[in-house]
Amino acid sequence: MKKYIGFSNLDRKETIQKVTEVAHDLIVIGGGITGGGIALDAASRGMNVVLLEKDDFASGTSSKSTKLIHGGLRYLKQFDFWLVKEVGYERAIVHKLAPHLVSPEKMLLPLIEGGSYGKWLTSIGLKVYDILAQVSGDDKRQMLEKKEAMKLEPLLPKKILNGAGYYAEYRTDDARLTIENIKTSLQFGAKALNYAKVVGFIYENEKVAGVRVRDEVSGKEFNIKSKYVISAAGPWVDELRSLNNSKKGKRLHLTKGVHLVFPKEKLPVKQSVYFDIPDGRMMFAIPRGKVTYVGTTDTNFNLDKDNIKTDLADAIYLISAVNNMFPSINLEMDDIISSWAGLRPLIHEEGKSASELSRKDEIFTSDTGLVSIAGGKLTGYRKMAERVVNRIVKSMEEDYGVQFPECTTDKIPLCGSDFKKYKHVKKYIDEVFNRLKDDRFTEYDAWYLVTTYGKQVEVILENYASLNGADAKVKLICAEALFTISHEMALNPMDFFIRRTGMLYFDIDSVRNYMEPVLEEFKKTYGYSDDEINAFREKLKEEIASHSNFSLERN
């Protein structure tokens, strides 16, 4: 069995000691998908890299997107052909790097009377989309007549339906994609710490030469020296620019995106649908395992970035939009089983509404040398990383006479991916199911494990075989928890249930049902006190309540 690098907060003291002992080539601030991509790109070129995240990895925007690696069809309407071309091309690359984590997802685009997309323009648009994104084979777009569209999705509004476009996208788990990028960077010598907040910069000759870090676990502070520092802190980029006294010129414009989760039987769409909302925007309905989720909103946000909630207005807006497109459904507030809300760190443009703002990324360099990157899309994370690391490579050559090779991250499989093609993923799911079915596990359980961890499932099954206990489900979830503690830096049960597994969003009953054995596993492994475990328990209960019951929330 392939051995995976240990990556654990059990080794936290040693990791902190190692990163403080030497000067590095690059410090990356921000453990989201952009920071993870930068760490992998820089480390794979041979740089000595440290990644720092103030909370848990992917705890900001990178666990709260629509969870699609998609080509940005709507940007064709804004004539942003460059963005469509780049992210369309990137979809295929990221799918190749982790086919278990970035899986094909057919998308239905209903054409309705008075809708955003007419038949002729949709046909031309999807054709252009295919060309720009270099789509081939069965993934090429099809134009469907009304009867064909209704056969694919019987819930569509028959009276006003004129047909549909049918094209290819890719579904992912954004938090998993982030953690696998970070873990892959470790294979090239990178170091990474979560719960490590940058509270200041170190300067030499009026240039940034490192950072002051507060360990959020111990409360202690320490310095890390580095030739260059990149801030990829997403919504917090401007705070760090202020800390560096360089917040001038362009600034961030934060918008909030909300998603609601329903049991599949309440919204039983047969495949993903990208549909019109009466106000002229578009929305996704995406089936995933036991549930279907819908989103997203796009509203301006200027409140507490560490406390983003779904409020009543968000829920009403999304439910109304779904009921408008699927008239036989009649969703109600009580049908919502979970939700999530996140922020998009866009670049402010005067006079533009939230949904009109460009999704392009931009790079800012301060007079003291702090490099900040903001904007962009989940799909384009690898190219964003390449662009900003190219700048560091150029600076390294000019300042130190040191040369580094070009980017090769388009050829580096992500951790857990030993699959050549997606069909091999499906074959492995069948194999895992056959190994687990005698213990009364379902095909869903096998699908969940493989699409979450890939071939790393082997380590989890090894853990499972070594655990005692009569309840197979409890043993398996404890085996998962042990894997995330040993190999994914999970420090507490929230890291596990929210970002390593996505259970809070997609299988919230599992959080309720298996909270206690997971709490016990963390207590046993880390030696947490009863008081600490009680605090974790209350925090989990708060998370469940805030994601599933928000009728009284105001944001």
Side-chain angles (χ1 to χ4, degrees):
M1 183 176 71
K2 183 175 179 179
K3 293 293 181 186
Y4 293 98
I5 292 174
F7 183 40
S8 177
N9 270 304
L10 293 167
D11 307 321
R12 188 173 184 87
K13 286 182 181 177
E14 293 89 334
T15 304
I16 291 172
Q17 186 176 340
K18 284 177 184 176
V19 299
T20 56
E21 282 176 346
V22 296
H24 303 272
D25 294 319
L26 179 64
I27 291 170
V28 183
I29 307 172
I33 188 61
T34 308
I38 292 167
L40 174 56
D41 190 323
S44 63
R45 298 195 204 198
M47 291 186 202
N48 190 344
V49 179
V50 179
L51 173 71
L52 302 168
E53 165 56 45
K54 73 182 182 71
D55 293 311
D56 184 28
F57 302 122
S59 57
T61 300
S62 296
S63 57
K64 302 182 180 86
S65 73
T66 306
K67 305 180 191 298
L68 288 175
I69 299 292
H70 66 101
L73 178 64
R74 76 184 185 87
Y75 307 123
L76 280 180
K77 290 178 72 178
Q78 300 170 0
F79 302 103
D80 201 339
F81 298 116
W82 176 87
L83 186 59
V84 174
K85 180 177 173 61
E86 178 171 287
V87 295
Y89 181 64
E90 283 299 301
R91 291 183 317 169
I93 291 176
V94 182
H95 170 62
K96 180 186 72 175
L97 300 179
H100 67 289
L101 200 50
V102 181
S103 56
E105 183 77 15
K106 282 289 191 179
M107 191 71 67
L108 194 64
L109 174 62
L111 307 176
I112 60 170
E113 292 174 15
S116 301
Y117 292 87
K119 228 174 201 178
W120 184 79
L121 277 175
T122 299
S123 179
I124 297 295
L126 286 175
K127 181 69 175 174
V128 171
Y129 185 70
D130 280 355
I131 293 168
L132 290 175
Q134 300 180 35
V135 178
S136 60
D138 294 339
D139 283 348
K140 284 188 175 180
R141 73 94 168 92
Q142 301 172 51
M143 294 305 297
L144 307 178
E145 296 299 325
K146 179 175 182 173
K147 190 175 179 181
E148 296 173 293
M150 288 299 300
K151 188 175 180 181
L152 274 176
E153 188 45 76
L155 296 177
L156 291 173
K158 192 173 183 179
K159 285 184 180 178
I160 58 172
L161 188 69
N162 294 325
Y166 198 48
Y167 64 106
E169 295 286 21
Y170 292 90
R171 186 181 63 196
T172 193
D173 181 320
D174 46 6
R176 292 297 317 172
L177 190 63
T178 300
I179 196 72
E180 300 302 10
N181 266 275
I182 294 170
K183 286 159 58 183
T184 308
S185 76
L186 305 181
Q187 297 172 359
F188 296 92
K191 301 283 188 297
L193 277 168
N194 53 0
Y195 299 100
K197 184 176 182 177
V198 171
V199 293
F201 292 97
I202 299 166
Y203 299 91
E204 290 179 6
N205 301 319
E206 298 184 349
K207 292 290 182 182
V208 170
V211 294
R212 184 80 180 154
V213 183
R214 183 172 66 235
D215 179 1
E216 300 286 32
V217 178
S218 68
K220 294 177 181 177
E221 292 191 3
F222 55 90
N223 292 340
I224 307 178
K225 302 293 286 294
S226 177
K227 294 184 179 75
Y228 302 97
V229 178
I230 294 176
S231 168
W236 294 268
V237 156
D238 277 353
E239 270 81 344
L240 285 164
R241 292 170 77 201
S242 293
L243 196 62
N244 179 242
N245 297 314
S246 60
K247 187 183 171 185
K248 54 189 177 183
K250 290 191 175 182
R251 59 185 170 87
L252 292 190
H253 184 131
L254 303 181
T255 73
K256 184 175 78 165
V258 170
H259 296 79
L260 303 180
V261 183
F262 301 92
K264 187 167 263 186
E265 56 269 24
K266 290 290 185 180
L267 185 53
V269 289
K270 291 186 172 183
Q271 77 280 294
S272 295
V273 185
Y274 184 42
F275 60 94
D276 279 274
I277 306 176
D279 67 6
R281 294 186 67 250
M282 301 288 290
M283 185 184 293
F284 291 101
I286 302 171
R288 186 188 188 107
K290 302 174 181 179
V291 302
T292 301
Y293 67 94
V294 300
T296 177
T297 59
D298 201 4
T299 53
N300 294 324
F301 184 88
N302 52 18
L303 300 174
D304 181 4
K305 291 186 285 293
D306 291 300
N307 188 27
I308 311 138
K309 286 185 168 63
T310 302
D311 61 28
L312 186 59
D314 299 322
I316 290 170
Y317 175 82
L318 292 171
I319 286 177
S320 299
V322 174
N323 288 341
N324 181 71
M325 178 50 60
F326 306 110
S328 63
I329 289 297
N330 294 319
L331 289 175
E332 298 177 358
M333 294 289 289
D334 288 346
D335 296 325
I336 302 167
I337 53 173
S338 190
S339 70
W340 67 88
L343 298 178
R344 302 176 192 87
L346 307 177
I347 310 301
H348 182 74
E349 296 176 69
E350 288 298 333
K352 288 198 173 183
S353 69
S355 57
E356 290 173 328
L357 289 173
S358 171
R359 267 54 178 173
K360 282 182 182 175
D361 56 282
E362 293 210 27
I363 300 169
F364 314 102
T365 304
S366 75
D367 293 340
T368 57
L370 173 66
V371 179
S372 302
I373 183 165
K377 290 169 57 62
L378 173 66
T379 308
Y381 83 86
R382 199 191 63 81
K383 289 301 288 186
M384 288 171 65
E386 182 181 346
R387 276 192 284 274
V388 75
V389 174
N390 281 346
R391 288 204 181 192
I392 301 300
V393 167
K394 186 178 178 184
S395 296
M396 287 284 278
E397 187 169 2
E398 291 172 352
D399 298 343
Y400 298 95
V402 180
Q403 289 189 327
F404 288 95
E406 292 185 353
C407 173
T408 59
T409 55
D410 59 334
K411 299 177 184 68
I412 300 172
L414 295 183
C415 219
S417 178
D418 291 337
F419 308 102
K420 296 295 183 187
K421 294 183 178 178
Y422 183 62
K423 66 180 181 182
H424 299 141
V425 177
K426 292 192 279 189
K427 187 177 177 183
Y428 185 55
I429 292 171
D430 291 339
E431 181 189 325
V432 170
F433 172 59
N434 286 328
R435 289 157 67 182
L436 286 172
K437 64 183 179 182
D438 288 347
D439 287 350
R440 296 188 177 180
F441 287 102
T442 65
E443 291 179 12
Y444 167 81
D445 294 315
W447 170 85
Y448 157 75
L449 283 171
V450 174
T451 57
T452 303
Y453 302 101
K455 282 293 180 74
Q456 296 166 119
V457 168
E458 296 300 324
V459 184
I460 292 168
L461 294 182
E462 195 177 75
N463 291 344
Y464 173 71
S466 69
L467 291 171
N468 297 318
D471 190 314
K473 187 71 177 177
V474 169
K475 277 172 56 181
L476 187 59
I477 205 162
C478 288
E480 271 189 83
L482 281 171
F483 175 78
T484 65
I485 289 168
S486 300
H487 297 281
E488 299 191 338
M489 214 79 171
L491 183 66
N492 57 58
M494 286 69 72
D495 296 346
F496 174 71
F497 279 123
I498 303 173
R499 289 164 291 274
R500 303 300 182 275
T501 66
M503 286 182 190
L504 185 72
Y505 305 144
F506 303 119
D507 192 6
I508 198 167
D509 283 341
S510 284
V511 187
R512 295 185 179 100
N513 296 338
Y514 302 107
M515 184 190 303
E516 292 306 323
V518 169
L519 283 166
E520 185 58 34
E521 205 59 56
F522 273 87
K523 181 179 182 180
K524 191 166 55 179
T525 308
Y526 280 109
Y528 287 128
S529 68
D530 289 343
D531 286 346
E532 287 171 316
I533 290 298
N534 286 335
F536 289 149
R537 183 183 291 109
E538 289 309 308
K539 179 62 177 172
L540 276 172
K541 288 177 179 177
E542 284 174 24
E543 293 285 0
I544 291 170
S546 69
H547 285 81
S548 60
N549 178 18
F550 41 77
S551 58
L552 299 178
E553 294 284 0
R554 291 290 182 272
N555 212 6

